[in-house]
Amino acid sequence: MPQYRATITVTLRPAILDVQGKTVEHALHSLGFSEVRHVRIGKHITLDLDAPDEQTAQERCAQMSQQLLANPVVEDYTIALEETA
Amino acid sequence: MPQYRATITVTLRPAILDVQGKTVEHALHSLGFSEVRHVRIGKHITLDLDAPDEQTAQERCAQMSQQLLANPVVEDYTIALEETA
């Protein structure tokens, strides 16, 4: 069965205040990086999975994102797949 | 001055045990996603910055990563830049 490497990026929706991002932005300003704005912090998840085809791999990753990896109320996710074997 | 959107991805080095990734992997198995392996979780940071040129923007992002965003002992980072204005 083909093997895929999935990269799932989970980000807060634009309308949601990113407290962690704001904290990092203030810290960067304190360190002298005053040219920085709009810091936002999300999750970068990589995993390997077996699937009969790329469409199935995509669907399984979407299910994982909706059930566990992302909070659909406040977060968006994107899935990128690469066939590795 | 040109404006850039930087995407900085911070990941644990391959040799470092990813405890959070292992926990998520077990949770995915419990939910029925038994085809999943090698879950690793990193940070996906986006920010806007002004810089005179792309090389300067790249250097400033590398400095931010080394000083604050990543722990160079156990983490790697990649920087992607896109000119937005």
Side-chain angles (χ1 to χ4, degrees):
Chain A
M1 197 182 287
Q3 185 175 309
Y4 297 87
R5 160 69 52 94
T7 302
I8 301 173
T9 305
V10 178
T11 51
L12 274 179
R13 295 199 165 175
I16 307 290
L17 176 69
D18 183 344
V19 178
Q20 191 186 5
K22 276 286 166 210
T23 305
V24 168
E25 186 170 322
H26 290 146
L28 286 170
H29 291 171
S30 299
L31 288 169
F33 298 102
S34 55
E35 74 270 43
V36 171
R37 294 181 305 279
H38 307 143
V39 179
R40 292 184 78 80
I41 300 182
K43 282 177 285 186
H44 173 89
I45 302 162
T46 58
L47 54 84
D48 294 329
L49 77 164
D50 300 320
D53 54 58
E54 186 163 333
Q55 195 193 329
T56 307
Q58 177 84 24
E59 286 167 5
R60 292 293 278 174
C61 287
Q63 290 167 8
M64 292 178 219
S65 300
Q66 285 159 26
Q67 289 181 38
L68 183 75
L69 304 177
N71 177 346
V73 178
V74 292
E75 291 174 326
D76 293 320
Y77 61 87
T78 60
I79 299 163
L81 286 170
E82 176 196 358
E83 190 167 342
T84 51
Chain B
M1 196 180 290
Q3 186 175 309
Y4 297 88
R5 161 69 51 94
T7 302
I8 301 173
T9 305
V10 178
T11 50
L12 274 179
R13 295 197 166 177
I16 307 290
L17 176 69
D18 183 344
V19 178
Q20 191 185 4
K22 276 285 166 210
T23 304
V24 167
E25 187 171 321
H26 290 146
L28 286 170
H29 290 172
S30 299
L31 288 169
F33 299 101
S34 55
E35 74 271 43
V36 171
R37 292 181 307 278
H38 306 144
V39 179
R40 293 185 76 82
I41 301 182
K43 282 178 283 187
H44 173 91
I45 302 163
T46 59
L47 53 86
D48 294 330
L49 77 164
D50 299 321
D53 54 57
E54 186 163 333
Q55 195 193 328
T56 307
Q58 177 85 22
E59 287 167 4
R60 292 293 279 174
C61 288
Q63 290 168 8
M64 292 178 219
S65 300
Q66 285 158 26
Q67 290 182 36
L68 183 75
L69 304 177
N71 177 347
V73 177
V74 293
E75 290 175 325
D76 293 319
Y77 60 87
T78 61
I79 299 164
L81 286 170
E82 178 195 357
E83 190 167 341
T84 51

